[in-house]
Each structure stands twice: as structure tokens, then as C-alpha cells.
Amino acid sequence: MGNVTRNTIAMVLAGGKGERLSPVTLNRPKPCVSFGGKYKIIDFVLSNLFNSGIKKAYILTQYRAHALNKHIKNSWAKWAGLEEFYDTLSPETSSAGEEWFKGTADAIYQFMRFIESSNAEYVAIFGGDHIYKMDISQMIAYHIVNKADITLAALEVPAEEAKRFGIFSVDEDFRVTAFTEKPDNPATIPERDTCFASMGNYIFSVKILLEILKEGKKKHADLDFGKHVIPMMLERGDRVFAYNFIDNLVPGMRQEEKGYWKDVGTIDSYYEANMDLINVVPQLNLYNYKWPILTNQSNLPPAKTVFDEEGRCGQNLNSYVCGGCITSGSTVRRSIIGPRCKINSYSLIEDSILFENVEIGRHVKIKKAIIDENIKIPDGTEIGYDHEADRRRGYVISDSGIVVVTK
């Protein structure tokens, strides 16, 4: 697939606000939210592209783009070689119309000139805000074999869950015959009791993409792939195919990882996906060196624990602790500790997520909480034990009781 991926250009949609993930998205876009301690959410789709051999990628940023642009520049831009690039494009500085993106397809339309000036045969249009592993070259091969105009990544879901998604109706060859947003009576896959849900990831043949974008923009100012482009292509009789994500096999993948895809769109789903990482056998394996998840490799010293005396022992138990962290005479249990955190003596951190550069004072107790970056928790503070007290401090509490502490 080397030639195919070299003839593919990627456009990553990374401008979303992620409002359901508020308040951790108040000061950053969802793709720039930390995940698994050292990573950003966008690192997963970019790692999938990189590992698949697709190294020509534009990342379309929009909402509070500075932090994400900086992350791309400091990490991904440095790994590109000759005629390769990972570059960010933001509408407020780059588009001819100086307008915000009005829809997913409008975002691509605003930067269509980058596709037109490339020598690419295929365009991979992927979202930047989901957690999963995928060999995208296999989806491109499927696109080519089917002589498709567009191939849609599809997640096979139980019929009772299908109301939450955009659902594809398909024939026996997985050619798409209809697309319905959040249907009450979802169409099932032939000879199965499951449905194909849209993952928001697409492979286009370049000629068709440019044609449909120009046609669609004449009709819809807020041009969107799910709402407008896919229905237009079906109406035109274009060859639209669904690619079953469960069939995608990544090198080194364990059986329990097949089909792993997380939206992490709410505080609770985000928390649960992070906590899975500290299980003995997590569903998402970050230790698969045949398919590494890449990110900014900052020059941080190793994590360390200090003090080992009665009542004052630095220890990290069943936890995921990043570089630059110091657990000083305190206990961390079942938690994810981001880079450059310091937990001072006599404190207890349980079932929690600390973002980068958090400092925990002495005699602090925290459980089932998310602490945003660059926050200092004063001595003697308790978080997660009394939700009424937490609310009085201005903290947000999720439906399942996760306390979120932001500035």
C-alpha cells in the first residue's frame, strides 16, 4: 500500500468546541484535551495516519486554536520529511473569506485549493477528537477494490444503540443505499441484527470530492458531510460504500482491542476511557510498539517517588504516572498523573486524573476528580468527599459524580 498512501492527502477536522466535555474544553478545543497523561486526543488520529504511511496532513483548527497549533508545531511538524508535512490551517488567519467553518464539508471547501494543488488521488478526511487505532491504508485499499467514489468508516453497533448515531443502510456488498441521522427505526445490516453507524471518517477520490464540494456549496452555506454531501452523492448515484471498522487489523493488536473506538465526548465517558488504561489488561493497549501513539517527546526526567518512612511513604499504586512527576511522601492509587506534577507529603490521590503541572499540597485528599493543568491545590484541601462543598467552591460535578477542577 506504499504507493497508495503516498498518493493520499489527509484533512483532519480539529476545530470543534467539545461543549459536552466542558469545563475542560473552556480554554482548549476537544482535540487538544489530554488523554492518558502524556497524549492529546488528536495524537491518536495523527498516529493512525503516520503509522499507515500517510504523512501529508493538514489539521483544520478553529476554536481556541493556539494551544493545538503549538502542539502540532512542537511535535508533529518536526517528524515530517522531504515533501511530507503536518500543518495546521485556521480560518481566522488563512481562509480567503476570513470566515469560521460553517460545517464539516465547508471546512474542506475553504481549503480546497490545497487539495487541487496536490498530486493526490485520494483524500482521507478524518475527525480529530476520537480515541482509536486504525490502519487507514486498509480502508483505502477497500475503497480502491470497490471503485468507490466515497468510502465511509462504519462502526457496527447494536440496534438498540443506533438511535444515537447517523446510520447507513447497506446492501449485501456494503454499498450504501441511504443515510439517516438518529433514526427511530434504524436499518440493520443484511443478515445481521446490528447497524452501521457513521464514524465521521471518509476516503474520497479527489475528482469526486472537488466536484461535490463545488456543487454542494452552491446549495448549502453550511455544507456538511452527513447532512448534505452523503445524501447528495446517494441521489446522484455515486458509488458510496461502508467500511466495517471491526475488520481493521493493526499490527500487534490484541483480540480485545478489535473495534475499540471511543467518543470521549462527555466528562463521564472521558473519565471511563482514561481509567481503562490503568487496568491490568486495558482494552486500549498503549504498549504496542508496532503501532505507537506518538506525541511531543519533551525532555522530562523520569517520574520518581521519595520518602519511605512510617506515615510518610511516596508510592504510586495501580497508576499511570508520566515523566517529570514527584510523588513525595504521599500515595497515588488508581490514578493518571500527567507530566510535571508534584504530590506533596501526607496526601492521598485516588481514582483521579491530574493534567500537566498540577501541584498538590500537603494533607490533601482527592478522589474521583479531574484536575486541570497548572493548578495548585492548597494544603489540607479535600475534593470528591463532599459534593455540596465542592459545588460551593465552583467545581463542576458530572452525572456520575466526577469532580472537575478548572481555573
Side-chain angles (χ1 to χ4, degrees), residues 133-185:
K133 294 181 183 179
M134 181 180 187
D135 183 350
I136 298 167
S137 71
Q138 295 172 25
M139 184 174 171
I140 299 172
Y142 180 87
H143 178 86
I144 294 169
V145 166
N146 285 301
K147 298 182 173 60
D149 296 315
I150 178 177
T151 298
L152 316 163
L155 191 68
E156 196 168 343
V157 299
E160 58 270 19
E161 295 181 16
K163 293 180 182 181
R164 300 189 292 114
F165 300 95
I167 298 297
F168 304 127
S169 301
V170 297
D171 63 17
E172 292 79 3
D173 298 319
F174 289 0
R175 182 165 179 173
V176 178
T177 57
F179 176 68
T180 311
E181 281 285 1
K182 300 179 180 178
D184 290 328
N185 298 300

Side-chain angles (χ1 to χ4, degrees), residues 376-396:
K376 184 173 182 178
I377 303 297
D379 293 353
T381 302
E382 290 192 2
I383 298 172
Y385 291 84
D386 182 342
H387 285 173
E388 288 306 313
D390 293 331
R391 288 189 180 94
R392 286 195 294 272
R393 295 191 190 103
Y395 304 154
V396 172

Side-chain angles (χ1 to χ4, degrees), residues 23 369-373 375 377 383 395-396 403-407:
I370 298 172
I371 313 295
D372 206 348
E373 63 183 25
I375 285 181
I377 303 297
I383 298 172
Y395 304 154
V396 172
V403 182
V404 185
V405 180
T406 57
K407 288 188 176 179

Side-chain angles (χ1 to χ4, degrees), residues 290-356:
K290 294 180 180 179
W291 199 268
I293 303 302
L294 307 172
T295 191
N296 186 20
Q297 300 297 328
S298 52
N299 294 317
L300 294 174
K304 74 172 183 177
T305 58
V306 294
F307 295 115
D308 184 9
E309 55 194 55
E310 187 69 30
R312 193 188 188 196
C313 180
Q315 52 186 344
N316 300 316
L317 307 172
N318 290 339
S319 294
Y320 191 100
V321 182
C322 295
C325 290
I326 301 174
T327 305
S328 174
S330 53
T331 297
V332 173
R333 184 177 288 118
R334 298 182 304 275
S335 295
I336 293 179
I337 310 298
R340 298 192 301 131
C341 290
K342 184 175 182 182
I343 298 109
N344 285 292
S345 293
Y346 314 111
S347 291
L348 173 63
I349 311 297
E350 293 183 301
D351 304 301
S352 294
I353 301 169
L354 273 56
F355 285 13
E356 185 171 359

Side-chain angles (χ1 to χ4, degrees), residues 3 16 18 35 52 76 84 87 115 119 128 135 147 188 196 231 239 251 283 339 344 392:
N3 289 333
F35 186 88
S52 301
W76 290 93
E84 298 174 346
D87 202 3
I115 301 172
N119 60 357
D135 183 350
K147 298 182 173 60
T188 56
F196 269 155
R239 293 182 63 81
Q283 193 176 359
N344 285 292
R392 286 195 294 272

